[in-house]
Amino acid sequence: MELVAGCYEQVLFGFAVRPEPAAGDDHEQKWTPVADFTHHAHTASLSAVAVNSRFVVTGSKDETIHIYDMKKKVDHGALVHHNGTITCLKFYGNRHLISGAEDGVICVWDAKKWECLKSIKAHKGHVTFLSIHPSGKLALSVGTDKTLRTWNLVEGRSAFIKNIKQNAHIVEWSPRGEKYVVVMLNKIDIYQLDTASVSGTITNEKRISSVTFLSESVLAVAGDEEVVRFFDCDSLMCLCEFKAHDNRIKDMFSFEIPEHHVIVTASSDGFVKMWKLKQNKKVPPSLLCEVKTNARLTCLGVWLDRVTDTKESLPPAAEPSPVSKEESRIKKEAGNVVQEEERQSKPNTKKCGLTDDSNKPTKGNSLVSTKKRKMVEMLEKKKRKKKI
C-alpha cells in the first residue's frame, strides 16, 4: 500500500505503509509509513491525483498530466492536451482515464497506449469536478457555468443538463450508484438516481473541500476546518465528528482491505493520516498512522498493489442501449429543470474512447516525455528573451 499526496510545492510524495504485528490482544495494530519516493515532474502546484493498479497520475496548474509507474517507480511521461489547470482526474479500471480542466474540456484517455480517445467541450466555464458511475456507463460533471451534466460514456455524448443555482465544486456517486451528491460551498444536495431530484440537503459549518462515501448511506465530509464529520444521507443527521488535523483538510480517500475499512486525510498542516473506521459510524475512527511531509498538501490518493481489477474498462460501444435504464430513470421525473441536450458536441459523435478517434491529431494525443517537454519549454523561453 502506498499513500500518495501532492502539494503546492510541485512535488508528489509516496509513502509505503506496512502493518506491524499487534503487541497484544488489547492493542490496535499499528501501521508504519516509510518515505518511498518524491516525484518532481510539474512546474506548478499539483491540483489532482488519481490511481489505478499500475499508475499514479497527477494534474497541475502547469496544464499537464504526469504519469508515474508505481511498479517500476519511474516517470512514464506527460499528457498535454488541456489548456488550463487540470481540475479532476478519474480512472475507470485499468483501461480508461477521464480528465477535466479549466478549459471546459473533458478528455477520455486510453490508459494503456496513453492516447486521447475523445475530447468533449463539456462546460462553458471550467470543469470543476467529475464522477464516474460504478457501472462505467454514465458520468456526472459540474462546472462554473452553474450546470450539472450527465454524460453517456458509451456514446461519448451529453445526455442531460441540469441548471443549478450556484457553481458546484464537487459531485460524487455513491458506491452502488443509487444516489449522488452535489457540493456547493458548505451545502450538499443529495439526489436520488430514480427521480433525479434532491431528497435532502446537508449543511456543513465551513466550506467543503472533500467528501467520500463510507457506505451507500454514510458520507464523510471535510472542509476549511480541522474536523471530519460523518453524515447519514437518509436522516441528514451528523452521526459523529472528530478532530483530524490542526489546519484545514484538503482531501480524503476511503478504501477497504481485509479486516480494515480505512479513511485517509491530508491537510494544509502537512500531515497525511490513516484512520481505521469502526463498524458503528457513530463512533469516531482510531488513528492507524500519520506522516509529516512539511508541505502544503492539496490532493491525495492511495495505491493498492492489487494483481487484478474487476473494472477493467468502460463498457464496449457495441452493447445495445446499455445506459437506457439509467437515462430513463433520470428523465422520468426531470420536468423542466433537466433538459435533454440536442446540440452538444455535434462534430464529436463517435463512440467514446472505445475505438481510436482518428480525427486530426490534437495536442496531447500521444505521450510526451518529461525531458522533451522541458526542452520545448526552455526553447520557448529563449525565443521570448530574444524578442524582448
Side-chain angles (χ1 to χ4, degrees), residues 1-2 53 71 303-308:
M1 184 195 306
E2 193 107 11
S53 64
K71 301 282 189 183
W303 180 72
L304 300 168
D305 192 1
R306 287 174 173 160
V307 179
T308 58

Side-chain angles (χ1 to χ4, degrees), residues 20 29 36 73 131 178 231 247 254 298 322-323 331 335 360:
E20 293 178 357
Q29 188 178 39
D36 191 29
K73 294 291 194 295
S131 182
E178 293 172 5
F231 287 95
N247 207 325
S254 69
T298 56
V323 294
K331 203 171 182 179
K360 296 183 217 173

Side-chain angles (χ1 to χ4, degrees), residues 61-80:
K61 288 188 175 181
D62 67 9
E63 307 182 356
T64 67
I65 299 166
H66 267 272
I67 308 156
Y68 190 76
D69 188 324
M70 290 297 291
K71 301 282 189 183
K72 297 179 180 177
K73 294 291 194 295
V74 294
D75 188 326
H76 197 69
L79 305 172
V80 290

Side-chain angles (χ1 to χ4, degrees), residues 22-59:
D25 294 338
D26 299 330
H27 290 79
E28 282 275 357
Q29 188 178 39
K30 292 291 182 184
W31 295 65
T32 306
V34 179
D36 191 29
F37 71 88
T38 54
H39 186 223
H40 196 166
H42 290 285
T43 58
S45 62
L46 275 69
S47 51
V49 64
V51 180
N52 73 0
S53 64
R54 177 68 183 269
F55 298 103
V56 170
V57 294
T58 53

Side-chain angles (χ1 to χ4, degrees), residues 144-343:
T144 55
D145 55 1
K146 296 182 182 178
T147 63
L148 165 67
R149 302 192 180 222
T150 306
W151 300 95
N152 177 325
L153 289 181
V154 178
E155 299 292 333
R157 61 175 176 83
S158 174
F160 306 100
I161 302 174
K162 181 179 177 66
N163 294 314
I164 49 182
K165 292 176 183 177
Q166 292 174 281
N167 288 329
H169 61 283
I170 300 172
V171 62
E172 199 72 66
W173 286 103
S174 64
R176 292 203 299 265
E178 293 172 5
K179 61 171 71 78
Y180 54 92
V181 295
V182 177
V183 180
M184 296 162 288
L185 297 175
N186 68 325
K187 290 186 178 180
I188 304 167
D189 282 342
I190 301 160
Y191 288 79
Q192 300 300 322
L193 179 61
D194 57 356
T195 62
S197 60
V198 177
S199 62
T201 300
I202 292 167
T203 304
N204 196 49
E205 286 188 19
K206 298 281 182 73
R207 182 186 183 276
I208 295 161
S209 57
S210 182
V211 298
T212 185
F213 275 95
L214 306 180
S215 69
E216 190 64 22
S217 60
V218 179
L219 186 70
V221 179
D224 291 348
E225 54 187 329
E226 303 87 0
V227 172
V228 175
R229 294 183 178 90
F230 297 166
F231 287 95
D232 186 303
C233 292
D234 300 323
S235 69
L236 308 178
M237 299 293 290
C238 179
L239 300 175
C240 81
E241 65 174 65
F242 63 98
K243 184 183 176 184
H245 291 271
D246 292 327
N247 207 325
R248 61 183 177 175
I249 297 159
K250 297 293 288 185
D251 205 358
M252 291 189 298
F253 190 93
S254 69
F255 62 95
E256 291 186 63
I257 51 176
E259 298 179 14
H260 286 80
H261 189 177
V262 177
I263 186 169
V264 185
T265 56
S267 167
S268 296
D269 63 11
F271 277 92
V272 180
K273 297 187 181 184
M274 255 177 72
W275 307 84
K276 182 182 177 182
L277 294 165
K278 309 295 184 186
Q279 205 161 10
N280 182 357
K281 298 303 183 291
K282 292 182 179 179
V283 180
S286 56
L287 185 65
L288 288 171
C289 68
E290 62 182 23
V291 60
K292 189 175 183 180
T293 63
N294 293 312
R296 293 172 296 164
L297 300 176
T298 56
C299 49
L300 174 71
V302 177
W303 180 72
L304 300 168
D305 192 1
R306 287 174 173 160
V307 179
T308 58
D309 193 322
T310 52
K311 296 185 290 188
E312 275 299 312
S313 63
L314 295 173
E319 283 188 19
S321 194
V323 294
S324 58
K325 189 179 177 184
E326 284 92 344
E327 281 195 3
S328 61
R329 276 178 172 184
I330 294 171
K331 203 171 182 179
K332 187 179 174 185
E333 293 186 24
N336 57 8
V337 285
V338 180
Q339 310 134 27
E340 183 160 10
E341 171 137 57
E342 297 170 347
R343 297 173 289 104

